[in-house]
Amino acid sequence: MPPAVCVYCDKSGRKNAVFIECAQCTRLYHRTCLRKQTTMTEKEINGFKKNKNFCCWSCSLPNFNDSFWSIPETQFLPPTRASNPHRNKKAAAILCFNARSLKNKKRAADIAAFLEVHPADIIGINETWLSADIMDHEVIPTDYVVLRKDRIGGRRPAGGVLLAVLPHLQPRRQKQLETSAEAIWAAITVSNLRFLIASVYRAPNSTAEQNDELLRSFSLAAEQQHNYDACFVMGDLNLDIDWSAEPPLPRAIPAEKFIDAFDNLAFFQLIKNPTRTTATSEKTIDLFLCDTPNLVSSSEVIAGVSDHDALLAELRVDSRRPTPLPAMLPNWRRAPWPTLNDRLAEEMQAVLQINNLNDAWTAWKTTLVGCVSECVPSRKSRPKRRLLPWLDKKLKKIIKIKDELFAKWQVEKTLESRNLFETARRASQGAVRLAKDRWFWALGRGPGGAAIFWKFIHSKTKVPIKTTSFSVDGRIFSEPAAVASKFQESFKQNFSPPEADFPFLRRVPSQEEKLSEWRITESDVDNLLHVLDAKSATGPDGVPAVLLKRCAKTLCPSLAHIFNLSLRACDLPADWKCAAVTPIPKDGEKSDLRNYRPISVTSLVGKLLEKHVRNQLAGFLDTNKALPDNQHGFRERRSCTTMLLRTLDSWTAAIDKNSGGHVHAIFLDWAKAFDKVPHQRLLSKLQHHGIDGAALEWLKNFLVGRSQFVRFGGARSEPCVVSSGVVQGSVLGPLLFNVYVSDLPAVVKTNLVQYADDCTIFREVTSQDDVDELQEDLALIDIWCVNNGMQLNAKKCVAMDLSRARQPWLPQYMIGGAVLEYVSTQRLLGVHIARDLRWNHHVDVQRKKAAQTLGFAARNLRGCTQRVKRMAYLTLVKPKLFYGTPAWHPWTKTNTEKMARTQNKALHFIHGRHVPPPEKQNMLSVPAQLAYNDLLLFKKSLCGLTEYNAMARITEGRVHRGDDPLHPRLQQPPARTELGQNAFDYRIVAEWNAAPPAIKDCTAAQFPAVCKAYVSAIY
């Protein structure tokens, strides 16, 4: 059961807090809150508590049933809206309101419901009270492109303006019109008309300088006004003006200046009704200004979410919202799987008699589609609705009635109508907030709860790129078909031109053993189908994963037949060589097409055969040790942590041996490495490693003759030929890339480590000769890139002098004629490395990221159960704190305390004010987690589950009296300084020697549970 929470303060209070329960709805109220928030006396409250007959304000409202509100003894018909009740849904709508904090805990539900009930193409919000750590779509639906300007500075959050525009209106922020004032300008396109819109806020206590800045922004807009068909300005300006007079009469000096600015822009104020009503006054301070009032078909004041009313306007132009055509799709939830399997088993017999690959694949796919259409019921695809999961039809009906009562009050202006509206508003707020709280309390519980939890998290963090407008050569594109075409052109530039392809080089094979053919059996196909994820994305051929998974036994014979035909013919069907590319954003401006990575979605059936070939190829290469030992990417028993451990241990040992020594590291960056791999040169390297005959011919057909198209927002571009590269998103692509760069380490004389296309070379330098050798290796790498069609991005390649010497040694290194820049910190595989190998900077960066993520979870998961909050911490926050800790270690008391403070905040987020003692927290402390990560990696190394050799520098010590002969003590490697004494292979010795025999003797599967119990007890 959820904890007792007061309706007024939304808190549980102290343990001895006195609650008064409503006799009808059982909601709880603090006794002190009733005394503060109501006119009840102490005697009346004590009487309610004793007699248990208290009735809250919401239960004293008119009764609600499924059809209408009914007031006892009074017949009342809800009034109609002041505007046209038959709203034109195609007309562009503009909504403006003062939020008084978008992140307010209580008002968040009201704002979400308000935006859902009043959909608009353009939303202007004042007083957002947001800060930089709050993401846009935590407070605004993901359907919008959000432009915002937060107030910086101040003791408390205040001010701030925001514009939210649907992407098909092509919003473009106009920063040249903005000053330090709280005003945000944007240009949009509606029905081929160009509009200039602004969301403006002026505080009541604005200084003369702040007023001048806002007036200057208006004057800048006046200079550009002739470039637009209309200009709209909306917001809370807090101007004391009598708008009922003609012309409007200012009542203060600032108002007079602003009226002159409005006249200069030829603005008309379209809102005449008061927008802020108190017990003593009515003022029109929220304005909707337009220089072309004929474009506005209606404008009205509606009930808002704060002490300000909202403004809603409709234009005489259509917004032309893109509406995708509904498609008929199979309804897999209602599929009769036994009937479908029987039908497929009967029909697929004909496929086994076809010996031509393309004919067999076409017959297989045609038979599959026919059986599915015959047996599986269909459903109509619907666009995803924005309906909040906790906002049902009844709540929307309550909100609608509240709006109708507001409209009635605006017309009648009587005390009775106002009181009725106020009562309805409190009722709707209570119902909406209660529905949201109940939904969040149930979040993550029951069957499918985890999926709903992650769907909610992704809706707040992952912004769909379909809501982004893209800029190409100064032009804005937002139509899905146009954007897909531009993405295709951008991705096509990454390929090497066909005429620049490198010839097939005849190399001497590296070993006598050959891999000449691929083999696959029906049992292999069955195993591949059973490990297939039923939620995998469907490829261009339209064969879904759920169908392959549920009909695995039936489809195994026919698929094994087609796979063997493909391997024997050394060919692949065209469907398997076609890829649907999805743009995935990288770091940088989201409107720039160059900041997106192409990820291919290929045929699931083709991926099954790819996986089988990958497994055989990887096994052959590992057996013959064809891949270099310093390559850690996309290989079994290797990871980012193993690469970081080897690299950092080497640097630590070199600097610890000589405290004044220097290690120079060069961090290399390849430009579009996966897309530029020449096919013929890759095939020659495969042949060099023993891949020959039919196996090599099949890989050649897998690489050559591929095509791709881009999918974006339901549209797709024209296909283009893939002239180079290994497919990103395919199963074979990463392994083939590793083969392609496998000869790079033999080129250099210095140390080189790789994780896929991340490459770092380093060398301990003691003289100028060492510097010259490192520069010579850089030149050799540059030559290798030229000979192999790769290209280094010299601007992103940097150098670092790793040393604890007082004076750095910064010789000049060059790549391709460009001098490399020296950096004091560099990010390598997610770990920020400082030149002195201290971890203060990395701890600060990761702690800040973890704190931001924890703040996100606290804002968006308020009201959830402790189980859900703990799951959010373990999956979202904890990995940011402890990622790669065996490779790096905070080791200073200050850094450990910084991490502990973040975890303590997480404990308060999970448990609230009263955090249980450590033994009941079900969470490892920071020192215990660090020790657990070290021991777990060491155990994996001893059991052979990782390629990292943890015993490389560790030896077995002498057996002392009382030692266990079955578990000899380990001897630490030599270390002179605290740097060496905090390296992994030094600190793990003390931790392992202190561990009891039960930990050392248990299996790798038992180790995590046993080790957690051990470190929890000692830390």
Side-chain angles (χ1 to χ4, degrees):
M1 292 295 292
V5 175
C6 174
V7 173
Y8 278 121
C9 67
D10 203 26
K11 295 179 181 178
S12 58
R14 301 186 302 271
K15 291 183 178 180
N16 59 347
V18 178
F19 284 97
I20 307 297
E21 183 177 0
C22 176
Q24 297 186 23
C25 67
T26 68
R27 282 188 284 188
L28 302 176
Y29 297 81
H30 277 143
R31 176 178 177 173
T32 54
C33 291
L34 285 174
R35 188 73 181 87
K36 294 178 182 178
Q37 304 291 342
T38 66
T39 58
M40 287 190 291
T41 64
E42 191 75 21
K43 184 177 181 180
E44 290 174 336
I45 296 176
N46 290 336
F48 287 137
K49 180 185 177 185
K50 181 179 179 180
N51 301 324
K52 297 182 179 181
N53 60 349
F54 171 68
C55 183
C56 67
W57 51 266
S58 60
C59 294
S60 61
L61 298 178
N63 298 323
F64 174 69
N65 56 35
D66 292 338
S67 58
F68 58 88
W69 286 76
S70 60
I71 301 178
E73 301 179 0
T74 303
Q75 296 298 324
F76 171 73
L77 295 177
T80 58
R81 298 283 293 273
S83 62
N84 183 8
H86 304 290
R87 178 187 169 188
N88 181 11
K89 294 184 179 181
K90 294 184 179 180
I94 302 177
L95 178 66
C96 174
F97 63 96
N98 184 307
R100 295 279 302 173
S101 177
L102 286 175
K103 62 178 183 180
N104 183 278
K105 296 179 181 179
K106 293 184 179 180
R107 203 174 292 135
D110 304 337
I111 295 173
F114 179 74
L115 295 178
E116 180 67 34
V117 173
H118 300 284
D121 301 274
I122 305 161
I123 302 175
I125 307 178
N126 311 129
E127 288 201 82
T128 58
W129 293 18
L130 298 180
S131 53
D133 61 324
I134 299 178
M135 292 180 286
D136 297 338
H137 293 90
E138 288 185 51
V139 292
I140 300 296
T142 55
D143 296 354
Y144 291 93
V145 178
V146 179
L147 311 173
R148 55 187 253 202
K149 189 175 185 179
D150 304 331
R151 180 181 291 183
I152 301 175
R155 294 183 179 179
R156 61 182 180 86
V161 291
L162 179 147
L163 274 175
V165 187
L166 290 179
H168 69 273
L169 301 184
Q170 303 177 13
R172 303 171 298 282
R173 187 168 180 175
Q174 306 297 306
K175 290 188 176 182
Q176 71 276 11
L177 305 182
E178 299 176 11
T179 61
S180 60
E182 290 181 293
I184 186 168
W185 296 83
I188 63 173
T189 303
V190 185
S191 294
N192 297 324
L193 297 177
R194 300 183 68 234
F195 294 160
L196 181 65
I197 59 174
S199 179
V200 182
Y201 174 69
R202 175 188 169 274
N205 58 349
S206 295
T207 62
E209 292 78 7
Q210 292 170 338
N211 290 333
D212 292 340
E213 285 295 303
L214 184 55
L215 290 169
R216 188 164 69 88
S217 180
F218 283 135
S219 64
L220 293 174
E223 296 174 1
Q224 301 293 326
Q225 191 176 13
H226 65 281
N227 296 323
Y228 299 91
D229 297 298
C231 181
F232 300 93
V233 174
M234 49 192 162
D236 178 12
L237 275 76
N238 288 294
L239 296 174
D240 192 3
I241 300 175
D242 183 7
W243 293 103
S244 61
E246 278 297 335
L249 296 177
R251 299 192 181 105
I253 294 178
E256 186 175 354
K257 293 182 179 180
F258 279 96
I259 286 182
D260 293 338
F262 298 158
D263 291 339
N264 186 33
L265 286 160
F267 276 159
F268 293 86
Q269 156 66 337
L270 302 181
I271 300 298
K272 304 298 183 181
N273 295 337
T275 60
R276 187 171 186 269
T277 303
T278 64
T280 58
S281 65
E282 291 183 346
K283 293 183 179 180
T284 305
I285 56 178
D286 297 274
L287 308 181
F288 186 81
L289 304 165
C290 174
D291 62 349
T292 314
N294 292 333
L295 277 175
V296 182
S297 61
S298 66
S299 59
E300 60 176 326
V301 179
I302 61 176
V305 294
S306 64
D307 56 346
H308 291 247
D309 297 326
L311 313 179
L312 180 63
E314 288 186 1
L315 306 183
R316 298 185 188 275
V317 291
D318 292 344
S319 64
R320 296 191 305 161
R321 298 179 182 88
T323 54
L325 296 176
M328 300 304 295
L329 301 175
N331 191 350
W332 300 114
R333 293 184 178 180
R334 299 176 56 191
W337 295 110
T339 305
L340 180 59
N341 275 285
D342 294 341
R343 186 67 174 160
L344 285 172
E346 179 183 348
E347 296 292 334
M348 286 296 177
Q349 294 298 323
V351 178
L352 300 176
Q353 309 302 320
I354 304 175
N355 293 323
N356 180 274
L357 172 62
N358 292 318
D359 293 343
W361 168 249
T362 303
W364 185 89
K365 194 167 65 168
T366 303
T367 303
L368 189 71
V369 172
C371 293
V372 168
S373 60
E374 181 181 340
C375 300
V376 181
S378 59
R379 63 177 179 87
K380 184 181 294 186
S381 66
R382 299 177 180 177
K384 292 184 179 179
R385 302 175 63 189
R386 247 187 352 164
L387 180 65
L388 300 176
W390 44 268
L391 187 64
D392 56 16
K393 292 182 180 179
K394 290 185 178 181
L395 288 177
K396 295 180 76 171
K397 188 179 292 186
I398 294 176
I399 297 172
K400 182 180 178 181
I401 293 175
K402 181 256 298 183
D403 291 341
E404 290 174 344
L405 292 174
F406 176 83
K408 179 177 183 293
W409 170 48
Q410 291 290 302
V411 173
E412 297 181 357
K413 289 297 182 181
T414 62
L415 181 60
E416 181 183 0
S417 60
R418 178 180 178 180
N419 291 338
L420 189 59
F421 160 69
E422 294 287 349
T423 303
R425 180 167 65 177
R426 288 193 295 268
S428 64
Q429 286 180 348
V432 166
R433 294 176 184 180
L434 182 61
K436 182 183 177 184
D437 290 343
R438 286 177 174 173
W439 185 84
F440 271 97
W441 185 254
L443 180 63
R445 303 170 70 179
I452 298 175
F453 168 79
W454 284 111
K455 183 178 180 180
F456 172 75
I457 293 295
H458 292 161
S459 70
K460 298 292 184 180
T461 56
K462 293 187 176 181
V463 182
I465 61 173
K466 67 180 181 181
T467 62
T468 306
S469 297
F470 299 91
S471 175
V472 180
D473 298 331
R475 295 183 59 191
I476 303 297
F477 295 90
S478 62
E479 291 294 332
V483 173
S485 177
K486 292 299 178 181
F487 266 120
Q488 182 74 299
E489 294 177 7
S490 176
F491 294 153
K492 194 174 180 180
Q493 295 175 0
N494 300 339
F495 301 136
S496 301
E499 59 272 11
D501 199 3
F502 291 79
F504 188 99
L505 294 182
R506 296 293 178 182
R507 300 172 180 236
V508 178
S510 59
Q511 67 275 334
E512 295 182 359
E513 186 178 355
K514 303 287 184 181
L515 179 60
S516 300
E517 62 178 352
W518 313 109
R519 297 184 179 90
I520 189 169
T521 62
E522 191 172 319
S523 61
D524 294 331
V525 178
D526 185 61
N527 293 333
L528 292 170
L529 287 172
H530 276 90
V531 298
L532 179 66
D533 186 2
K535 297 181 180 179
S536 299
T538 304
D541 57 1
V543 180
V546 63
L547 178 60
L548 296 173
K549 184 87 172 178
R550 298 295 295 269
C551 302
K553 274 232 180 288
T554 308
L555 296 176
C556 265
S558 56
L559 284 177
H561 175 67
I562 293 175
F563 289 163
N564 280 301
L565 289 177
S566 173
L567 297 177
R568 287 198 295 267
C570 302
D571 197 5
L572 290 87
D575 287 342
W576 299 0
K577 300 170 71 173
C578 180
V581 175
T582 301
I584 301 298
K586 301 187 292 185
D587 295 336
E589 183 62 35
K590 296 296 184 289
S591 62
D592 190 352
L593 299 178
R594 294 171 295 183
N595 292 328
Y596 286 81
R597 178 183 292 107
I599 299 299
S600 300
V601 178
T602 56
S603 168
L604 287 174
V605 178
K607 278 186 175 181
L608 294 176
L609 184 55
E610 275 188 66
K611 187 174 183 180
H612 181 75
V613 171
R614 191 273 312 269
N615 294 340
Q616 291 192 29
L617 179 59
F620 176 80
L621 294 174
D622 289 342
T623 302
N624 294 280
K625 298 182 179 180
L627 298 180
D629 189 53
N630 51 21
Q631 174 62 267
H632 293 258
F634 308 114
R635 299 182 65 182
E636 290 186 358
R637 298 183 298 172
R638 295 176 184 240
S639 63
C640 297
T641 303
T642 59
M643 175 182 161
L644 288 168
L645 269 170
R646 288 192 180 184
T647 307
L648 292 173
D649 279 359
S650 299
W651 295 349
T652 301
I655 296 176
D656 179 72
K657 182 177 61 177
N658 181 9
S659 57
H662 297 264
V663 174
H664 285 179
I666 312 296
F667 302 91
L668 303 177
D669 183 87
W670 278 319
K672 312 296 181 184
F674 282 83
D675 294 329
K676 289 188 176 296
V677 174
H679 294 157
Q680 295 298 329
R681 184 59 57 90
L682 172 59
L683 293 171
S684 68
K685 294 185 179 184
L686 286 168
Q687 187 184 45
H688 171 70
H689 289 299
I691 315 300
D692 207 349
L696 183 65
E697 188 66 23
W698 189 91
L699 289 174
K700 177 181 179 180
N701 276 279
F702 172 79
L703 292 168
V704 179
R706 300 192 70 93
S707 63
Q708 70 176 32
F709 62 90
V710 177
R711 290 193 298 200
F712 180 86
R716 54 184 290 176
S717 67
E718 292 294 326
C720 75
V721 177
V722 179
S723 58
S724 66
V726 293
V727 183
Q728 297 189 59
S730 65
V731 180
L732 265 172
L735 180 58
L736 294 178
F737 183 83
N738 283 350
V739 173
Y740 191 74
V741 297
S742 61
D743 57 343
L744 178 60
V747 173
V748 299
K749 302 175 183 177
T750 54
N751 300 294
L752 183 146
V753 289
Q754 295 173 284
Y755 190 91
D757 59 338
D758 286 324
C759 182
T760 304
I761 64 169
F762 60 91
R763 182 184 180 92
E764 184 179 1
V765 292
T766 57
S767 63
Q768 185 62 37
D769 293 340
D770 296 329
V771 174
D772 294 340
E773 288 189 12
L774 186 56
Q775 176 59 57
E776 183 180 349
D777 284 342
L778 288 176
L780 292 174
I781 291 175
D782 196 24
I783 294 173
W784 181 92
C785 291
V786 173
N787 292 337
N788 288 272
M790 306 297 283
Q791 182 180 355
L792 284 171
N793 190 346
K795 294 182 179 179
K796 294 185 178 180
C797 297
V798 294
M800 180 182 287
D801 174 33
L802 295 156
S803 175
R804 290 200 166 186
R806 293 184 178 180
Q807 294 296 328
W809 186 6
L810 307 177
Q812 188 179 87
Y813 292 106
M814 301 179 66
I815 289 181
V819 179
L820 299 184
E821 176 188 1
Y822 276 90
V823 293
S824 57
T825 59
Q826 176 64 20
R827 187 171 182 264
L828 178 64
L829 298 182
V831 175
H832 297 81
I833 300 172
R835 64 175 302 272
D836 58 357
L837 292 183
R838 297 183 187 273
W839 301 108
N840 302 343
H841 175 70
H842 178 71
V843 169
D844 290 339
V845 171
Q846 296 304 110
R847 185 175 65 93
K848 182 179 179 181
K849 290 182 179 179
Q852 289 177 346
T853 307
L854 183 61
F856 162 82
R859 290 190 300 271
N860 293 278
L861 297 177
R862 176 180 170 272
C864 294
T865 60
Q866 290 184 2
R867 173 183 169 275
V868 171
K869 292 179 179 179
R870 182 175 179 272
M871 180 170 62
Y873 167 75
L874 295 178
T875 55
L876 299 175
V877 182
K878 182 180 174 182
K880 290 181 170 59
L881 277 178
F882 296 100
Y883 163 73
T885 46
W888 69 274
H889 195 277
W891 60 266
T892 64
K893 183 179 179 181
T894 302
N895 288 336
T896 305
E897 288 178 349
K898 288 178 181 179
M899 299 173 68
R901 283 197 294 271
T902 303
Q903 182 156 304
N904 289 337
K905 291 180 181 178
L907 289 172
H908 283 282
F909 158 67
I910 297 171
H911 299 283
R913 184 180 299 177
H914 307 288
V915 178
E919 59 270 13
K920 295 183 179 181
Q921 291 175 3
N922 195 19
M923 186 182 300
L924 297 178
S925 64
V926 171
Q929 186 68 53
L930 294 173
Y932 170 77
N933 291 350
D934 288 349
L935 290 169
L936 182 62
L937 182 69
F938 190 73
K939 182 68 174 181
K940 287 182 178 180
S941 176
L942 296 180
C943 296
L945 299 179
T946 178
E947 286 289 340
Y948 177 71
N949 183 11
M951 296 293 293
R953 299 178 61 214
I954 300 175
T955 57
E956 292 187 3
R958 293 188 301 173
V959 179
H960 298 277
R961 181 180 299 175
D963 286 352
D964 186 356
L966 298 178
H967 305 95
R969 301 178 66 85
L970 303 180
Q971 181 68 39
Q972 294 166 329
R976 296 178 57 254
T977 65
E978 62 176 5
L979 178 64
Q981 293 169 4
N982 285 281
F984 174 76
D985 50 8
Y986 189 95
R987 67 175 186 269
I988 191 59
V989 171
E991 296 172 351
W992 185 259
N993 288 338
I999 287 186
K1000 300 176 182 178
D1001 293 336
C1002 69
T1003 64
Q1006 300 168 341
F1007 186 81
V1010 177
C1011 186
K1012 280 185 180 179
Y1014 165 68
V1015 296
S1016 298
I1018 66 172
Y1019 287 98

